[in-house]
Amino acid sequence: MALDISAARPDPALLDLPWDVPLEEWPQSHLAALPRGISRHVVRFVKMSGRVVAVKEIKADLARREYDTLRLLRRLDQPAVKPLAVISGRTDTNGEPLDACLVTRHLRFSLPYRAIFSQRLQPDTARRVLDALAVLLVRLHVNGVFWGDVSLSNTLFRRDAGDFAAYLVDAETASIYQQLSDGQRAHDLQIA
């Protein structure tokens, strides 16, 4: 199989990453030491082209669906991470297939909720984090987004003028619906 890179604007530095190695085994020389949340998939922060990207190892169909959903969320001006590429067709050095990878831009100055709660907290920090999540949910709902896996673990938080702003990170189960102008039922914009 040949490596397949799907990206709106492919970065040549993607070719320099060790795609023939399972993500869990990538060398430290490629990794950035940033706090990670919990995930059912292997996720690593990787140094690439002078910036940091998040790489998530996942089945190819799910990676493509999530990539498309994140692109659409960005076009709708929704608070979500920016998708950069899907890398599929990966094989190890023995020719055994490896899962695809979704590459997203790391959201600078953001933290997973566990990192926020591991610090010395102000008395109302938990309320401010939950308020930010509630605002994110309302924004998504008003714009026709169904987020099937809402959780603090699938959200990143940035400090924002004494409060927090929340960003959708994991869009595997999200669907985007559009209300039709003639009052008909909404329809799914996602490619199934």
Side-chain angles (χ1 to χ4, degrees), residues 2-192:
L3 193 65
D4 180 18
I5 299 175
S6 302
R9 291 187 185 101
D11 185 332
L14 285 168
L15 296 172
D16 297 331
L17 296 175
W19 299 114
D20 61 342
V21 177
L23 187 56
E24 196 165 37
E25 298 170 15
W26 278 23
Q28 288 296 319
S29 60
H30 288 286
L31 304 182
L34 292 171
R36 287 187 312 215
I38 55 174
S39 174
R40 67 180 163 265
H41 303 287
V42 177
V43 177
R44 296 290 182 262
F45 293 113
V46 176
K47 296 176 275 190
M48 186 183 85
S49 297
R51 63 181 179 211
V52 176
V53 297
V55 180
K56 177 165 79 169
E57 203 167 49
I58 189 171
K59 299 289 182 202
D61 58 331
L62 293 175
R64 283 188 188 89
R65 184 181 191 288
E66 187 166 2
Y67 175 83
D68 291 341
T69 301
L70 288 170
R71 286 191 70 204
L72 189 50
L73 286 169
R74 299 282 297 186
R75 275 186 257 145
L76 294 171
D77 196 30
Q78 295 304 297
V81 293
K82 182 178 182 180
L84 298 176
V86 173
I87 312 298
S88 57
R90 297 174 61 220
T91 57
D92 67 15
T93 54
N94 297 321
E96 294 298 316
L98 296 171
D99 279 340
C101 287
L102 171 68
V103 182
T104 58
R105 180 172 289 158
H106 174 259
L107 186 62
R108 292 184 64 196
F109 310 114
S110 67
L111 292 169
Y113 84 96
R114 288 175 165 252
I116 293 169
F117 290 140
S118 69
Q119 303 169 5
R120 184 180 164 120
L121 299 178
Q122 299 294 324
D124 65 341
T125 298
R127 180 197 54 78
R128 291 183 297 134
V129 166
L130 292 176
D131 285 351
L133 182 59
V135 168
L136 173 62
L137 288 172
V138 168
R139 277 191 70 174
L140 293 172
H141 177 75
V142 165
N143 286 283
V145 179
F146 169 77
W147 187 15
D149 195 9
V150 176
S151 76
L152 290 171
S153 293
N154 291 337
T155 311
L156 286 175
F157 298 90
R158 263 194 207 167
R159 295 189 192 285
D160 182 26
D163 282 317
F164 288 95
Y167 295 81
L168 185 147
V169 175
D170 189 326
E172 279 178 58
T173 60
S175 294
I176 302 171
Y177 297 86
Q178 179 180 33
Q179 185 66 39
L180 299 176
S181 59
D182 62 2
Q184 297 176 355
R185 281 186 32 204
H187 69 279
D188 191 353
L189 293 175
Q190 283 301 111
I191 301 171

